[in-house]
mmCIF file with all atom_site columns, all heavy atoms in Angstrom:
data_model
loop_
_atom_site.group_PDB
_atom_site.id
_atom_site.type_symbol
_atom_site.label_atom_id
_atom_site.label_alt_id
_atom_site.label_comp_id
_atom_site.label_asym_id
_atom_site.label_entity_id
_atom_site.label_seq_id
_atom_site.pdbx_PDB_ins_code
_atom_site.Cartn_x
_atom_site.Cartn_y
_atom_site.Cartn_z
_atom_site.occupancy
_atom_site.B_iso_or_equiv
_atom_site.pdbx_formal_charge
_atom_site.auth_seq_id
_atom_site.auth_comp_id
_atom_site.auth_asym_id
_atom_site.auth_atom_id
_atom_site.pdbx_PDB_model_num
ATOM 1   N N   . ARG A 1 230 ? -52.409 33.085 26.823 1.00 96.00 ? 230 ARG A N   1
ATOM 2   C CA  . ARG A 1 230 ? -52.202 34.462 26.274 1.00 96.00 ? 230 ARG A CA  1
ATOM 3   C C   . ARG A 1 230 ? -50.712 34.731 26.247 1.00 96.00 ? 230 ARG A C   1
ATOM 4   O O   . ARG A 1 230 ? -49.967 34.406 27.183 1.00 96.00 ? 230 ARG A O   1
ATOM 5   C CB  . ARG A 1 230 ? -52.852 35.409 27.354 1.00 96.00 ? 230 ARG A CB  1
ATOM 6   C CG  . ARG A 1 230 ? -52.973 36.896 26.819 1.00 96.00 ? 230 ARG A CG  1
ATOM 7   C CD  . ARG A 1 230 ? -53.703 37.646 27.852 1.00 96.00 ? 230 ARG A CD  1
ATOM 8   N NE  . ARG A 1 230 ? -52.880 38.012 28.938 1.00 96.00 ? 230 ARG A NE  1
ATOM 9   C CZ  . ARG A 1 230 ? -52.012 39.081 28.964 1.00 96.00 ? 230 ARG A CZ  1
ATOM 10  N NH1 . ARG A 1 230 ? -52.079 39.909 27.997 1.00 96.00 ? 230 ARG A NH1 1
ATOM 11  N NH2 . ARG A 1 230 ? -51.308 39.387 30.029 1.00 96.00 ? 230 ARG A NH2 1
ATOM 12  N N   . GLN A 1 231 ? -50.269 35.360 25.166 1.00 96.00 ? 231 GLN A N   1
ATOM 13  C CA  . GLN A 1 231 ? -48.860 35.678 24.932 1.00 96.00 ? 231 GLN A CA  1
ATOM 14  C C   . GLN A 1 231 ? -48.564 36.925 25.736 1.00 96.00 ? 231 GLN A C   1
ATOM 15  O O   . GLN A 1 231 ? -49.222 38.024 25.447 1.00 96.00 ? 231 GLN A O   1
ATOM 16  C CB  . GLN A 1 231 ? -48.516 35.772 23.549 1.00 96.00 ? 231 GLN A CB  1
ATOM 17  C CG  . GLN A 1 231 ? -47.030 36.013 23.309 1.00 96.00 ? 231 GLN A CG  1
ATOM 18  C CD  . GLN A 1 231 ? -46.534 35.802 21.919 1.00 96.00 ? 231 GLN A CD  1
ATOM 19  O OE1 . GLN A 1 231 ? -47.318 35.840 20.986 1.00 96.00 ? 231 GLN A OE1 1
ATOM 20  N NE2 . GLN A 1 231 ? -45.221 35.540 21.720 1.00 96.00 ? 231 GLN A NE2 1
ATOM 21  N N   . TYR A 1 232 ? -47.650 36.968 26.641 1.00 96.00 ? 232 TYR A N   1
ATOM 22  C CA  . TYR A 1 232 ? -47.335 38.197 27.398 1.00 96.00 ? 232 TYR A CA  1
ATOM 23  C C   . TYR A 1 232 ? -45.928 38.524 27.272 1.00 96.00 ? 232 TYR A C   1
ATOM 24  O O   . TYR A 1 232 ? -45.408 39.426 27.880 1.00 96.00 ? 232 TYR A O   1
ATOM 25  C CB  . TYR A 1 232 ? -47.785 38.117 28.797 1.00 96.00 ? 232 TYR A CB  1
ATOM 26  C CG  . TYR A 1 232 ? -47.109 37.200 29.750 1.00 96.00 ? 232 TYR A CG  1
ATOM 27  C CD1 . TYR A 1 232 ? -46.369 37.717 30.791 1.00 96.00 ? 232 TYR A CD1 1
ATOM 28  C CD2 . TYR A 1 232 ? -47.213 35.768 29.593 1.00 96.00 ? 232 TYR A CD2 1
ATOM 29  C CE1 . TYR A 1 232 ? -45.714 36.865 31.660 1.00 96.00 ? 232 TYR A CE1 1
ATOM 30  C CE2 . TYR A 1 232 ? -46.471 35.013 30.434 1.00 96.00 ? 232 TYR A CE2 1
ATOM 31  C CZ  . TYR A 1 232 ? -45.859 35.521 31.542 1.00 96.00 ? 232 TYR A CZ  1
ATOM 32  O OH  . TYR A 1 232 ? -45.106 34.759 32.340 1.00 96.00 ? 232 TYR A OH  1
ATOM 33  N N   . GLU A 1 233 ? -45.103 37.807 26.456 1.00 97.00 ? 233 GLU A N   1
ATOM 34  C CA  . GLU A 1 233 ? -43.691 38.153 26.181 1.00 97.00 ? 233 GLU A CA  1
ATOM 35  C C   . GLU A 1 233 ? -43.359 37.306 25.031 1.00 97.00 ? 233 GLU A C   1
ATOM 36  O O   . GLU A 1 233 ? -44.113 36.331 24.575 1.00 97.00 ? 233 GLU A O   1
ATOM 37  C CB  . GLU A 1 233 ? -42.821 37.850 27.397 1.00 97.00 ? 233 GLU A CB  1
ATOM 38  C CG  . GLU A 1 233 ? -41.522 38.496 27.379 1.00 97.00 ? 233 GLU A CG  1
ATOM 39  C CD  . GLU A 1 233 ? -40.333 37.671 26.843 1.00 97.00 ? 233 GLU A CD  1
ATOM 40  O OE1 . GLU A 1 233 ? -40.609 36.425 26.648 1.00 97.00 ? 233 GLU A OE1 1
ATOM 41  O OE2 . GLU A 1 233 ? -39.207 38.167 26.635 1.00 97.00 ? 233 GLU A OE2 1
ATOM 42  N N   . VAL A 1 234 ? -42.297 37.684 24.271 1.00 97.00 ? 234 VAL A N   1
ATOM 43  C CA  . VAL A 1 234 ? -41.805 37.018 23.085 1.00 97.00 ? 234 VAL A CA  1
ATOM 44  C C   . VAL A 1 234 ? -41.951 35.444 23.121 1.00 97.00 ? 234 VAL A C   1
ATOM 45  O O   . VAL A 1 234 ? -42.360 34.732 22.298 1.00 97.00 ? 234 VAL A O   1
ATOM 46  C CB  . VAL A 1 234 ? -40.444 37.419 22.711 1.00 97.00 ? 234 VAL A CB  1
ATOM 47  C CG1 . VAL A 1 234 ? -39.806 36.542 21.605 1.00 97.00 ? 234 VAL A CG1 1
ATOM 48  C CG2 . VAL A 1 234 ? -40.383 38.851 22.261 1.00 97.00 ? 234 VAL A CG2 1
ATOM 49  N N   . SER A 1 235 ? -41.364 34.956 24.328 1.00 97.00 ? 235 SER A N   1
ATOM 50  C CA  . SER A 1 235 ? -41.330 33.555 24.413 1.00 97.00 ? 235 SER A CA  1
ATOM 51  C C   . SER A 1 235 ? -42.333 32.960 25.556 1.00 97.00 ? 235 SER A C   1
ATOM 52  O O   . SER A 1 235 ? -42.127 31.774 25.933 1.00 97.00 ? 235 SER A O   1
ATOM 53  C CB  . SER A 1 235 ? -39.838 33.122 24.812 1.00 97.00 ? 235 SER A CB  1
ATOM 54  O OG  . SER A 1 235 ? -39.040 33.607 23.916 1.00 97.00 ? 235 SER A OG  1
ATOM 55  N N   . ASN A 1 236 ? -43.154 33.733 26.055 1.00 98.00 ? 236 ASN A N   1
ATOM 56  C CA  . ASN A 1 236 ? -43.892 33.235 27.321 1.00 98.00 ? 236 ASN A CA  1
ATOM 57  C C   . ASN A 1 236 ? -45.381 33.423 27.013 1.00 98.00 ? 236 ASN A C   1
ATOM 58  O O   . ASN A 1 236 ? -45.958 34.498 26.671 1.00 98.00 ? 236 ASN A O   1
ATOM 59  C CB  . ASN A 1 236 ? -43.445 34.109 28.474 1.00 98.00 ? 236 ASN A CB  1
ATOM 60  C CG  . ASN A 1 236 ? -42.181 33.506 29.014 1.00 98.00 ? 236 ASN A CG  1
ATOM 61  O OD1 . ASN A 1 236 ? -42.097 32.556 29.635 1.00 98.00 ? 236 ASN A OD1 1
ATOM 62  N ND2 . ASN A 1 236 ? -41.037 34.264 28.580 1.00 98.00 ? 236 ASN A ND2 1
ATOM 63  N N   . PHE A 1 237 ? -46.083 32.427 27.505 1.00 98.00 ? 237 PHE A N   1
ATOM 64  C CA  . PHE A 1 237 ? -47.556 32.216 27.328 1.00 98.00 ? 237 PHE A CA  1
ATOM 65  C C   . PHE A 1 237 ? -48.120 31.642 28.603 1.00 98.00 ? 237 PHE A C   1
ATOM 66  O O   . PHE A 1 237 ? -47.595 30.783 29.213 1.00 98.00 ? 237 PHE A O   1
ATOM 67  C CB  . PHE A 1 237 ? -47.800 31.206 26.224 1.00 98.00 ? 237 PHE A CB  1
ATOM 68  C CG  . PHE A 1 237 ? -47.150 31.432 24.864 1.00 98.00 ? 237 PHE A CG  1
ATOM 69  C CD1 . PHE A 1 237 ? -45.768 31.150 24.697 1.00 98.00 ? 237 PHE A CD1 1
ATOM 70  C CD2 . PHE A 1 237 ? -47.858 32.090 23.844 1.00 98.00 ? 237 PHE A CD2 1
ATOM 71  C CE1 . PHE A 1 237 ? -45.083 31.474 23.523 1.00 98.00 ? 237 PHE A CE1 1
ATOM 72  C CE2 . PHE A 1 237 ? -47.211 32.350 22.677 1.00 98.00 ? 237 PHE A CE2 1
ATOM 73  C CZ  . PHE A 1 237 ? -45.875 32.079 22.440 1.00 98.00 ? 237 PHE A CZ  1
ATOM 74  N N   . ALA A 1 238 ? -49.257 32.351 28.999 1.00 98.00 ? 238 ALA A N   1
ATOM 75  C CA  . ALA A 1 238 ? -49.928 31.845 30.231 1.00 98.00 ? 238 ALA A CA  1
ATOM 76  C C   . ALA A 1 238 ? -51.459 31.726 30.140 1.00 98.00 ? 238 ALA A C   1
ATOM 77  O O   . ALA A 1 238 ? -51.947 32.550 29.359 1.00 98.00 ? 238 ALA A O   1
ATOM 78  C CB  . ALA A 1 238 ? -49.538 32.812 31.386 1.00 98.00 ? 238 ALA A CB  1
ATOM 79  N N   . ILE A 1 239 ? -51.966 30.773 30.830 1.00 98.00 ? 239 ILE A N   1
ATOM 80  C CA  . ILE A 1 239 ? -53.495 30.819 31.017 1.00 98.00 ? 239 ILE A CA  1
ATOM 81  C C   . ILE A 1 239 ? -53.715 32.103 31.766 1.00 98.00 ? 239 ILE A C   1
ATOM 82  O O   . ILE A 1 239 ? -52.904 32.308 32.826 1.00 98.00 ? 239 ILE A O   1
ATOM 83  C CB  . ILE A 1 239 ? -53.915 29.528 31.756 1.00 98.00 ? 239 ILE A CB  1
ATOM 84  C CG1 . ILE A 1 239 ? -53.595 28.259 31.081 1.00 98.00 ? 239 ILE A CG1 1
ATOM 85  C CG2 . ILE A 1 239 ? -55.322 29.586 32.141 1.00 98.00 ? 239 ILE A CG2 1
ATOM 86  C CD1 . ILE A 1 239 ? -54.430 28.021 29.824 1.00 98.00 ? 239 ILE A CD1 1
ATOM 87  N N   . PRO A 1 240 ? -54.704 32.998 31.473 1.00 97.00 ? 240 PRO A N   1
ATOM 88  C CA  . PRO A 1 240 ? -54.814 34.270 32.127 1.00 97.00 ? 240 PRO A CA  1
ATOM 89  C C   . PRO A 1 240 ? -54.807 33.979 33.755 1.00 97.00 ? 240 PRO A C   1
ATOM 90  O O   . PRO A 1 240 ? -55.464 33.238 34.268 1.00 97.00 ? 240 PRO A O   1
ATOM 91  C CB  . PRO A 1 240 ? -56.096 34.802 31.640 1.00 97.00 ? 240 PRO A CB  1
ATOM 92  C CG  . PRO A 1 240 ? -56.175 34.259 30.158 1.00 97.00 ? 240 PRO A CG  1
ATOM 93  C CD  . PRO A 1 240 ? -55.537 32.817 30.339 1.00 97.00 ? 240 PRO A CD  1
ATOM 94  N N   . GLY A 1 241 ? -54.040 34.827 34.369 1.00 97.00 ? 241 GLY A N   1
ATOM 95  C CA  . GLY A 1 241 ? -53.907 34.694 35.823 1.00 97.00 ? 241 GLY A CA  1
ATOM 96  C C   . GLY A 1 241 ? -52.612 34.000 36.309 1.00 97.00 ? 241 GLY A C   1
ATOM 97  O O   . GLY A 1 241 ? -52.279 33.968 37.379 1.00 97.00 ? 241 GLY A O   1
ATOM 98  N N   . TYR A 1 242 ? -52.035 33.152 35.351 1.00 98.00 ? 242 TYR A N   1
ATOM 99  C CA  . TYR A 1 242 ? -50.930 32.477 35.673 1.00 98.00 ? 242 TYR A CA  1
ATOM 100 C C   . TYR A 1 242 ? -49.559 32.951 35.103 1.00 98.00 ? 242 TYR A C   1
ATOM 101 O O   . TYR A 1 242 ? -48.566 32.272 35.008 1.00 98.00 ? 242 TYR A O   1
ATOM 102 C CB  . TYR A 1 242 ? -51.037 30.997 35.273 1.00 98.00 ? 242 TYR A CB  1
ATOM 103 C CG  . TYR A 1 242 ? -52.150 30.332 36.096 1.00 98.00 ? 242 TYR A CG  1
ATOM 104 C CD1 . TYR A 1 242 ? -53.387 30.299 35.756 1.00 98.00 ? 242 TYR A CD1 1
ATOM 105 C CD2 . TYR A 1 242 ? -51.729 29.612 37.324 1.00 98.00 ? 242 TYR A CD2 1
ATOM 106 C CE1 . TYR A 1 242 ? -54.369 29.662 36.577 1.00 98.00 ? 242 TYR A CE1 1
ATOM 107 C CE2 . TYR A 1 242 ? -52.652 28.954 38.102 1.00 98.00 ? 242 TYR A CE2 1
ATOM 108 C CZ  . TYR A 1 242 ? -53.892 28.993 37.700 1.00 98.00 ? 242 TYR A CZ  1
ATOM 109 O OH  . TYR A 1 242 ? -54.811 28.355 38.513 1.00 98.00 ? 242 TYR A OH  1
#
Side-chain angles (χ1 to χ4, degrees):
R230 192 176 78 84
Q231 182 164 25
Y232 70 112
E233 200 262 348
V234 168
S235 308
N236 284 279
F237 305 81
I239 298 291
Y242 287 90

